[in-house]
Amino acid sequence: MNGKDRSEKDRPPHPRVTLKDLAEDLGMSVSTVSRAFQKGSPISDRAREIVLTRAAEMDYKANPFARSLVGKKSRIVGVLVSRISSPFYYEILNRIAEHLREDNLTLMLVAGEHVHELQEGLNMLMAYDPLAVLVISSFSDADSIALSPTARNKLLYFNRVPADSLVLGVAYDNRAAGARMADYLIGLGHRRLAYLSSGMDSSTDHERHQGFSARCAETGLNQPLLFGTKGFTYEAGMAAAADVVARLDDLDAVFCAADILALGLMDGMRHHFHVSVPEDISIAGCDDIAMAGWPSHSLTTLRMPRDTIVRELIRLFRSIIDDHRPSPEIIRVAPGDVVVRNSTGHNVRQ
């Protein structure tokens, strides 16, 4: 078989078009062509249009690492995240990535669970000289990251309030979230409440429990029963079903630290113990992840204002990138409304 007879899939791939190839084709310098792909760079609109049009024709894909070498400044934003499997974090990261692309920035994601993994991840990110680093974690292990002398001025925290008062971050008002869900369940006539915790050292979890318990006390109710499990996972929620069913006669409703826990708990009770939700017990979550709205789940939950949180994060990102880092502060975002679905109902067991 000669070369002419080879099928398209057998042919060797075309070599990648480089920035230098594009510059030579246009008869421009590499630095001029590079500026066409950088928002706000000094290049005329006409020249930018010529470069971008020819780049599309040649199927050129901009390389953020090559651009950083030309411009002496990376176009990378690092993200260090724990609980990479969290649907909530995944949804937030997707929205952040969309905004970063608009600014021709590349998101570099590193995941870690324990303190040594987080520190190693930060060291790896810093080797690329990122413009900023977002730390997404509610675990106390992430606090040590704020002490890094090389990264300190580039760090931005989400969903964690480190003990270090010099950090910059955005977090939900989780105590208000817990109180709001307590008000909703009490309004349905529920008086014997419980809280399902992840069992992890999570500020988000602790604060939601505190807000929930405090509002129960304010309304004259007993402290909610506390159930613990082993993580923010569907499987952990399902495993907790046995403990909740054992106390079913003492309960009207359960508020879970996160939606994914609530979904697991609800399915465990329905499928393993044949408990009807919400007829036998109401179950509610927090965050309003996409799965909560699926008809098979229809979970009542508290909506967290993603648009507001992402807007605040992007604003702070741009300030850091422009070397106008704001004064240290943790911006607290108020929770949204309770999204009422089919997992909760009025108490008929009084």
Side-chain angles (χ1 to χ4, degrees):
M1 179 184 294
N2 59 38
K4 293 182 179 179
D5 296 325
R6 288 189 300 177
S7 65
E8 190 69 31
K9 68 178 181 180
D10 293 327
R11 294 175 186 169
H14 292 294
R16 179 189 177 101
V17 177
T18 67
L19 190 71
K20 184 177 179 181
D21 295 333
L22 182 58
E24 289 178 351
D25 181 84
L26 290 168
M28 297 179 178
S29 68
V30 172
S31 60
T32 297
V33 173
S34 176
R35 286 197 296 271
F37 296 94
Q38 300 175 35
K39 197 173 199 179
S41 59
I43 185 174
S44 70
D45 292 340
R46 177 58 182 157
R48 189 189 303 276
E49 180 184 355
I50 291 172
V51 172
L52 296 181
T53 299
R54 186 56 181 151
E57 293 171 351
M58 296 178 66
D59 196 26
Y60 168 74
K61 301 295 190 300
N63 185 326
F65 300 102
R67 288 207 306 271
S68 70
L69 293 174
V70 173
K72 305 301 181 186
K73 192 174 185 181
S74 81
R75 303 295 297 169
I76 299 168
V77 170
V79 177
L80 187 60
V81 60
S82 63
R83 290 172 51 205
I84 189 62
S85 61
S86 165
F88 176 64
Y89 285 172
Y90 173 79
E91 292 173 15
I92 291 291
L93 277 173
N94 262 349
R95 296 191 183 205
I96 290 173
E98 290 174 4
H99 285 275
L100 293 179
R101 281 196 296 270
E102 293 176 2
D103 290 344
N104 291 321
L105 296 172
T106 297
L107 186 150
M108 180 177 286
L109 177 66
V110 176
E113 291 290 340
H114 305 292
V115 62
H116 69 277
E117 295 172 335
L118 292 171
Q119 189 60 59
E120 289 170 1
L122 179 65
N123 291 340
M124 192 195 80
L125 284 172
M126 294 308 296
Y128 290 92
D129 191 24
L131 296 172
V133 176
L134 175 64
V135 181
I136 301 183
S137 176
S138 61
F139 297 142
S140 61
D141 278 356
D143 289 6
S144 64
I145 301 300
L147 303 177
S148 170
T150 58
R152 189 178 196 120
N153 290 332
K154 296 186 177 185
L155 289 179
L156 173 60
Y157 273 79
F158 169 58
N159 212 29
R160 176 73 193 167
V161 184
D164 187 338
S165 62
L166 298 179
V167 300
L168 185 64
V170 181
Y172 290 124
D173 189 339
N174 288 300
R175 288 185 179 84
R180 185 161 297 181
M181 185 55 74
D183 287 338
Y184 168 72
L185 293 173
I186 293 169
L188 292 177
H190 299 305
R191 297 294 180 267
R192 299 174 299 174
L193 304 179
Y195 181 83
L196 177 59
S197 166
S198 69
M200 306 294 286
D201 182 16
S202 161
S203 60
T204 297
D205 193 338
H206 295 329
E207 290 172 359
R208 289 177 182 177
H209 180 221
Q210 290 167 358
F212 189 67
S213 298
R215 185 53 53 88
C216 288
E218 289 170 5
T219 56
L221 299 182
N222 292 331
Q223 283 294 296
L225 287 174
L226 176 62
F227 295 99
T229 186
K230 296 181 179 179
F232 285 97
T233 66
Y234 175 88
E235 292 77 14
M238 183 171 279
D243 294 334
V244 175
V245 168
R247 300 294 302 271
L248 191 61
D249 291 340
D250 303 320
L251 295 175
D252 300 328
V254 180
F255 172 44
C256 301
D259 286 343
I260 196 67
L261 279 173
L263 297 179
L265 175 65
M266 188 161 55
D267 282 352
M269 296 185 73
R270 285 171 169 171
H271 300 302
H272 292 172
F273 299 98
H274 308 291
V275 173
S276 295
V277 179
E279 290 79 10
D280 295 328
I281 190 169
S282 288
I283 295 177
C286 194
D287 291 333
D288 194 27
I289 62 175
M291 284 185 288
W294 292 0
S296 56
H297 295 138
S298 193
L299 175 70
T300 293
T301 182
L302 189 67
R303 175 172 291 146
M304 290 301 184
R306 287 162 176 72
D307 290 341
T308 301
I309 205 79
V310 171
R311 185 168 58 249
E312 287 294 329
L313 286 171
I314 293 299
R315 178 180 67 81
L316 295 176
F317 259 140
R318 288 172 175 159
S319 296
I320 294 171
I321 290 168
D322 293 338
D323 295 324
H324 296 129
R325 182 182 175 89
S327 301
E329 67 171 325
I330 298 294
I331 299 170
R332 290 283 190 173
V333 177
D337 297 326
V338 174
V339 182
V340 179
R341 298 194 179 101
N342 296 332
S343 68
T344 55
H346 287 279
N347 185 11
V348 296
R349 300 170 58 201
Q350 298 182 51

